[in-house]
Amino acid sequence: MKVLLTGGAGYIGSHTAVELMTSGYDVVIADNLSNSCKEAISRIEELGGNKVSFYDIDVCCKMEMEKLFSEQDIGACIHFAGLKSVPESTSMPLSYYRNNLDATLTLLETMQEFGVKKLVFSSSATVYGVPKSVPVNEDADTWCTNPYGWTKYMSEQIMRDAAKADESLSIILLRYFNPIGAHESGRIGEDPQGKPNNLMPYISQVAVGRRDKLYVYGDDYATPDGTGVRDYIHVVDLAKGHIAALEYAEKNPGCIAVNLGTGLGYSVLDIVKTFERANDIRVPYEIAPRRPGDVDTLYSDPSRAEKLLGWKAEKNLEDMCRDTWNWQKHNPKGYRE
Ligand code: NAD
Ligand code: UD1
C-alpha cells in the first residue's frame, strides 16, 4: 500500500518513513521543508532501501495536494505536517492556527475528494494540559495552555466530526508523549533550527560543545528530585506505533485517541545522569527558574495502545540516550554539514 506522509521529512516522519519502507509499504512524502531539509529524504531512501516519491509542497495548497493525489494511488495518510514550537506559537499564534488547521482541513478535503479513508494524526500529550492525576489515559479531560496545543485540540475535534459524518472513515489520533532518540544507524535524527526548546536536543548540543551548559528549569517541583518528570519515548518505538495504528485503521472505522508513551516517568536529572553514563560524557548543568507553563509530572497510561493496537514501547532510557548521542556526534551540525 502507498502511504502519504505529510511532514515526512521531519524528525518523527523520517523515522516512520524508514519503518514503513522496511515493512513493505511504499512511501510518498509531502513536505515544504519549512523545518527540515532535502538531505533527510536521501537518508530515508538509504535506510529504507527504496525510492520515496517526494513532493516539495505546502500541504495547505489544495491544488498541489490534488495534483499529488491524482498522480499517486494513496491508500492511507499519516499527518505529521505542522509547526510545533510552544514558545513560538505564543508569539505567532495566527501563523500556527493558519498553518496547522489549514493543513488538517486541506488534507481531509483532498482525502474526501479522492475517497481515501484511513488517517493517522500526530496529536500530542499537550492536549491534557495540566492533568488532574497521572498516569493519564485517553478519557482524561483535555484543555490547552498555548496556541500550539489548541491547534492539536482543534484538529482532533475536526477529525472526530469528519468521522461522525462519514462512517467509513478510520482516524487514529496518536497522542505522543516526549519523543527522543534517533535511528540506531545515526543517519537520521532530530535537527532543531536555532536554540532547542526541548530537553534532549539541548543536552546533546551541550555534549557536542555547541552550548556551554544545560539550564534545568526548576528544582522545586513536587517530584522525587524536584525536577520535572516526563514520559520519554524512543522515536523508533513511536514510528512503529504508526504502523500498528495503520493496521488497526484498516479494520476499524471511527475515530479514536491513543496515547503513545512508555508509562514511565523520568526527571530532568535522571535524563542528564543516564545520558552521561550511557555515553561516558559530561553534561554540565545549572539550576534555573521554572519555565512558565511547565507541569510537575506527566506520564501516560499506554494500555489502550497495547490492547487495541498490539503495540508497546520496547526501548529503554539508555537506548534513547545512546542513540541520540550517536546521531549528534556523527552529525554535530545536523543535516547541514
Ligand atoms: P518536525 O518539525 O521535525 O516535522 C514536521 C514537518 O512538517 C517538517 O518537516 C516541516 O517542514 C513540515 N511542515 C510544516 N508545515 C507544513 C506545511 N504546511 N506543508 C508541508 N510541510 C509542512 O516535527 P516532528 O517532531 O517530526 O513532529 C511531527 C508532528 O508531531 C508535528 O505535527 C508535531 O506537532 C507532532 N508532535 C511532535 C512532538 C515532538 O516532541 N517532536 C510531540 C507531540 C506531537
Ligand atoms: C514540550 C511542550 C509540549 C510539546 C513537547 C514536544 C511546553 C510547555 N510543552 O513538552 O507541548 O508537545 O514539548 O514538542 O513547552 N527542560 C529543562 N531545560 C531545557 C529544556 C527542558 O530543564 O533546556 C525541562 C522542562 O522543564 C521539562 C522537561 O525538561 O520538565 C521536558 O521538557 P521538554 O523537552 O521541553 O518537553 P515538555 O515540556 O514535556
Side-chain angles (χ1 to χ4, degrees):
M1 181 170 65
K2 224 176 233 189
V3 185
L4 169 63
L5 276 58
T6 70
Y11 172 46
I12 302 170
S14 57
H15 289 82
T16 305
V18 170
E19 294 306 314
L20 283 166
M21 289 161 80
T22 52
S23 305
Y25 290 90
D26 290 323
V27 167
V28 178
I29 290 180
D31 198 306
N32 64 2
L33 305 178
S34 59
N35 196 38
S36 51
C37 59
K38 189 88 189 289
E39 175 63 18
I41 303 292
S42 318
R43 301 215 188 165
I44 292 168
E45 290 178 333
E46 171 194 316
L47 297 174
N50 208 342
K51 282 273 163 212
V52 167
S53 304
F54 174 59
Y55 289 73
D56 180 354
I57 60 173
D58 192 322
V59 175
C60 305
C61 177
K62 189 75 186 303
M63 240 167 53
E64 301 271 27
M65 288 293 276
E66 285 171 340
K67 180 166 175 284
L68 183 158
F69 275 74
S70 62
E71 288 173 4
Q72 305 284 344
D73 183 20
I74 303 295
C77 302
I78 309 184
H79 183 34
F80 297 103
L83 300 173
K84 65 162 183 176
S85 158
V86 170
E88 193 178 64
S89 80
T90 57
S91 59
M92 309 163 52
L94 301 185
S95 309
Y96 270 66
Y97 286 115
R98 166 63 67 196
N99 188 70
N100 292 3
L101 297 180
D102 206 346
T104 292
L105 288 167
T106 308
L107 175 66
L108 284 168
E109 284 171 358
T110 318
M111 286 175 62
Q112 187 178 48
E113 227 173 278
F114 286 82
V116 179
K117 300 291 184 182
K118 289 176 283 285
L119 174 62
V120 175
F121 174 58
S122 297
S123 189
S124 166
T126 195
V127 300
Y128 295 119
V130 181
K132 287 200 187 97
S133 62
V134 286
V136 63
N137 71 29
E138 295 83 351
D139 298 325
D141 292 344
T142 50
W143 187 257
C144 299
T145 55
N146 56 76
Y148 163 73
W150 284 116
T151 69
K152 294 296 177 193
Y153 179 103
M154 291 176 190
S155 289
E156 284 199 358
Q157 187 58 40
I158 290 168
M159 290 178 187
R160 271 190 289 270
D161 288 339
K164 229 182 264 169
D166 176 356
E167 289 181 355
S168 62
L169 270 177
S170 295
I171 306 183
I172 319 292
L173 311 169
L174 293 180
R175 294 179 178 161
Y176 311 153
F177 279 68
N178 290 58
I180 59 171
H183 191 269
E184 66 174 5
S185 65
R187 296 292 289 156
I188 55 173
E190 187 168 13
D191 182 20
Q193 308 304 298
K195 191 171 142 219
N197 298 309
N198 299 116
L199 179 64
M200 191 50 117
Y202 207 105
I203 289 179
S204 60
Q205 289 195 7
V206 170
V208 85
R210 281 171 67 180
R211 310 202 174 263
D212 291 345
K213 59 185 159 194
L214 169 74
Y215 295 92
V216 175
Y217 297 141
D219 66 348
D220 56 353
Y221 284 105
T223 61
D225 66 18
T227 66
V229 167
R230 298 289 183 276
D231 183 342
Y232 296 91
I233 173 171
H234 196 295
V235 66
V236 172
D237 276 336
L238 191 77
K240 290 179 176 159
H242 291 74
I243 301 184
L246 273 185
E247 287 167 358
Y248 179 84
E250 289 276 347
K251 299 182 214 98
N252 299 280
C255 181
I256 189 160
V258 180
N259 286 342
L260 290 188
T262 62
L264 302 170
Y266 289 103
S267 74
V268 177
L269 294 182
D270 288 333
I271 305 294
V272 172
K273 285 179 200 144
T274 309
F275 191 96
E276 292 187 325
R277 195 178 54 244
N279 300 313
D280 197 18
I281 193 162
R282 272 198 64 238
V283 178
Y285 70 86
E286 181 181 307
I287 304 297
R290 288 181 176 204
R291 181 173 67 177
D294 277 352
V295 295
D296 297 40
T297 302
L298 182 61
Y299 57 92
S300 67
D301 172 352
S303 54
R304 182 181 285 179
E306 187 168 5
K307 194 165 153 229
L308 294 188
L309 313 183
W311 170 93
K312 200 170 182 291
E314 286 168 356
K315 293 181 185 276
N316 63 27
L317 194 57
E318 298 237 341
D319 300 326
M320 303 182 213
C321 292
R322 189 198 55 232
D323 292 340
T324 300
W325 179 232
N326 188 40
W327 152 253
Q328 186 74 75
K329 76 176 177 211
H330 288 111
N331 305 268
K333 294 185 180 144
Y335 289 114
R336 290 163 185 79
E337 279 303 277

